[in-house]
Amino acid sequence: MTTLNGLPCEAVKRLLIVLLLLSLAAAMPARAATAIQEVKTSSGIKAWLVEDYAVPIITISFAFRGGSTQDPSDKEGVTNLMSGLFDEGAGDLESNAFQQRLDDAGAEMRFDARRDAVYGFMRVLANQKDDAFALLRLAIEQPRFDQAAMDRVRAQIVSGITAKEKDPETAAQIAWMKAIYGDHPYSRPYEGTEQSLAAITPSDLKALHTRLFTRGNLAIAVAGAIDAGALKRDLDQIFSGLPAEPSLVPVAETAPKLGQEIRIQYDLPQDRLRLAYPGISRKDPQFFAAYMMNHILGGGAFTSRLWTEVREKRGLAYGIGSRLENNDHASALVIATRTRPDRAAETLSLILAEVSRMAEEGIGEEELEAAKKNVIGGYAIDNLNSSRAIADTLIAIQMQDQGIDYIERQKQLIQAVTVEDVRSAARRLLSADPAVMIVGPPLESRKG
């Protein structure tokens, strides 16, 4: 086969298509306001649409609730394996033929398995959407799961698992999830193991696909050069052939197991520190107070208290941050950093002191107002700066069961947060004894 710099020409062609789509998407400016339409087709399929004709691109993002939490305990990794096979043949097209047709349509298509859902994505030039959407329909409705393709993709996944077995970050992540989530499905490695992957058959993939890929657990968002009328027809073409309702295994609600210390000893130049505190549901009335509290504590890059105290004043770490993690069945507030082994105990003590100060003293008016401006002002830049970003943001909002007015409504909810609201959220979340993980050489005695 003819090659260019060692790459097959078909791979080069696909790379050029992706680069073209990315360059066109990058030309779209961030927008302060985004008009979102709800589109409903004759077969009852719903989607959110943002029309934008600045560049001739259409981006469609979608998600099927169900993710790796649906993996049987003896076949971990089956959802992730399935997600890698949708462009490996569908309908009467085997793998090579399908990928050739995808290249000819000038389309970029991806699938991604996560804990709570399987996500899909397609980006295509508007004048080639019909061919691309026909292929997307085949991939979603009639994936082949051929043995040869399955064996090849499985071997790639196993190779990645094997390569990461001695990686401290991977070992730490596995240990962390096991420690804080116990036997819950969230503790499982979403990629599976070499043993669990070996047990998976094409029949397992087909059964999982039938259970997950249905209209009843589907969310769709579209951004770009398409109007509502055309989109209705396309959505029916792509999705109407799917079964009506999913058959999902119930997943229990859980919370991180706090008050424990997880030590993983490695000969590393830095200690990795991670702490978990109670989280908060996005539907909780205190969510935005907690969100603003976290932004001030460690979520705001270069402006947070942890950044100032740990990085700026003492130079104990190159970076430090905190985040609110919100899964469908568990939430947590997580703080993470890296530091020199001989300063790790000092760093950990400083983090704990800052958390305690936030819980006991709260924040001031000026601090809160600055945080509000930062969060509200940065939203469009972070979430609405391309057709892909818009579509992904709209999918995230739908998966969180928020309304179509959420982008505008969240500004009001943030503006309504008071200093006392933040203090109350801080006392609620930060008064607990956290789970702490230390990866690297043993800590020296804690200072402070």
Side-chain angles (χ1 to χ4, degrees):
M1 180 181 291
T2 304
T3 63
L4 179 62
N5 291 334
L7 287 173
C9 283
E10 288 304 322
V12 174
K13 179 180 177 182
R14 176 168 289 190
L15 177 60
L16 291 173
I17 290 168
V18 171
L19 290 174
L20 172 61
L21 292 170
L22 287 172
S23 64
L24 289 171
M28 296 178 67
R31 47 203 39 89
T34 301
I36 307 169
Q37 308 172 57
E38 183 172 77
V39 174
K40 185 175 182 180
T41 75
S42 57
S43 64
I45 296 167
K46 295 180 181 179
W48 291 0
L49 167 65
V50 172
E51 291 185 46
D52 194 310
Y53 301 91
V55 291
I57 288 178
I58 300 169
T59 300
I60 177 169
S61 292
F62 51 92
F64 295 93
R65 290 188 186 274
S68 65
T69 57
Q70 297 299 304
D71 291 358
S73 59
D74 60 342
K75 294 185 178 179
E76 295 171 350
V78 62
T79 305
N80 182 61
L81 176 59
M82 180 183 69
S83 72
L85 289 166
F86 288 107
D87 65 348
E88 293 284 351
D92 60 357
L93 300 174
E94 294 183 348
S95 179
N96 289 339
F98 185 91
Q99 294 186 19
Q100 179 63 56
R101 291 273 287 274
L102 195 62
D103 286 343
D104 292 343
E108 181 187 2
M109 184 180 78
R110 295 179 186 172
F111 288 82
D112 177 30
R114 303 180 199 171
R115 289 193 185 103
D116 296 311
V118 176
Y119 290 81
F121 157 79
M122 175 171 273
R123 180 162 46 199
V124 64
L125 294 169
N127 63 359
Q128 294 184 275
K129 72 175 179 65
D130 292 343
D131 290 342
F133 286 172
L135 291 168
L136 182 57
R137 178 190 68 79
L138 278 181
I140 288 172
E141 188 178 323
Q142 302 176 44
R144 292 173 64 99
F145 302 135
D146 291 333
Q147 185 72 53
M150 188 184 87
D151 289 344
R152 183 175 63 256
V153 173
R154 174 165 49 195
Q156 293 169 356
I157 296 171
V158 170
S159 177
I161 292 171
T162 302
K164 292 187 290 186
E165 282 180 347
K166 296 182 179 180
D167 173 37
E169 293 285 358
T170 301
Q173 180 64 18
I174 292 172
W176 175 255
M177 297 304 288
K178 285 288 185 185
I180 67 172
Y181 288 124
D183 294 329
H184 193 274
Y186 283 161
S187 71
R188 302 174 185 170
Y190 80 97
E191 290 179 319
T193 65
E194 185 173 358
Q195 292 73 29
S196 68
L197 288 167
I200 297 170
T201 67
S203 295
D204 295 323
L205 297 172
K206 291 173 184 176
L208 178 67
H209 173 261
T210 300
R211 291 198 300 112
L212 261 63
F213 276 50
T214 73
R215 301 192 306 275
N217 60 329
L218 171 64
I220 308 168
V222 181
I226 188 170
D227 62 35
L231 180 60
K232 289 179 183 180
R233 294 188 293 272
D234 290 332
L235 292 177
D236 272 337
Q237 174 198 354
I238 298 168
F239 297 106
S240 65
L242 292 173
E245 294 297 333
S247 177
L248 301 180
V249 176
V251 179
E253 299 299 307
T254 189
K257 300 179 188 301
L258 306 179
Q260 59 175 316
E261 193 169 89
I262 307 127
R263 289 177 175 266
I264 303 175
Q265 292 193 19
Y266 275 96
D267 185 15
L268 297 170
Q270 289 184 319
D271 272 358
R272 278 85 161 163
L273 304 178
R274 190 182 302 181
L275 298 83
Y277 288 86
I280 186 168
S281 166
R282 287 184 174 273
K283 294 182 179 179
D284 192 290
Q286 279 194 305
F287 175 77
F288 281 100
Y291 186 86
M292 298 311 300
M293 180 273 292
N294 176 69
H295 184 84
I296 293 166
L297 176 65
F302 314 121
T303 61
S304 72
R305 288 185 178 184
L306 288 175
W307 176 271
T308 300
E309 296 298 325
V310 175
R311 171 69 176 89
E312 289 298 316
K313 290 185 178 180
R314 296 170 178 84
L316 293 173
Y318 287 111
I320 184 169
S322 64
R323 65 185 182 276
L324 290 174
E325 292 186 350
N326 289 103
N327 297 303
D328 283 0
H329 305 286
S331 299
L333 188 154
V334 177
I335 300 171
T337 191
R338 301 181 185 187
T339 189
R340 283 168 35 188
D342 62 328
R343 307 294 296 277
E346 178 185 359
T347 302
L348 180 56
S349 292
L350 183 59
I351 292 169
L352 294 171
E354 280 302 308
V355 169
S356 294
R357 184 166 75 92
M358 175 68 83
E360 294 167 6
E361 301 176 10
I363 62 170
E365 289 285 357
E366 291 186 3
E367 203 172 17
L368 178 58
E369 288 308 309
K372 287 180 179 180
K373 290 178 181 178
N374 190 301
V375 170
I376 293 172
Y379 188 84
I381 295 172
D382 294 338
N383 297 280
L384 306 173
N385 60 1
S386 69
S387 63
R388 175 68 186 270
I390 292 170
D392 286 352
T393 297
L394 298 188
I395 280 294
I397 293 171
Q398 291 181 65
M399 297 301 280
Q400 296 159 11
D401 293 324
Q402 305 289 349
I404 199 168
D405 63 341
Y406 176 77
I407 291 177
E408 288 302 316
R409 184 163 46 86
Q410 72 165 349
K411 297 178 185 177
Q412 301 169 10
L413 293 169
I414 290 170
Q415 290 288 17
V417 172
T418 67
V419 165
E420 186 49 46
D421 292 334
V422 172
R423 289 173 179 165
S424 176
R427 287 192 295 269
R428 172 181 169 183
L429 300 185
L430 302 180
S431 297
D433 184 18
V436 179
M437 182 172 69
I438 305 113
V439 183
L443 292 188
E444 298 180 1
S445 297
R446 291 186 188 178
K447 298 180 180 180

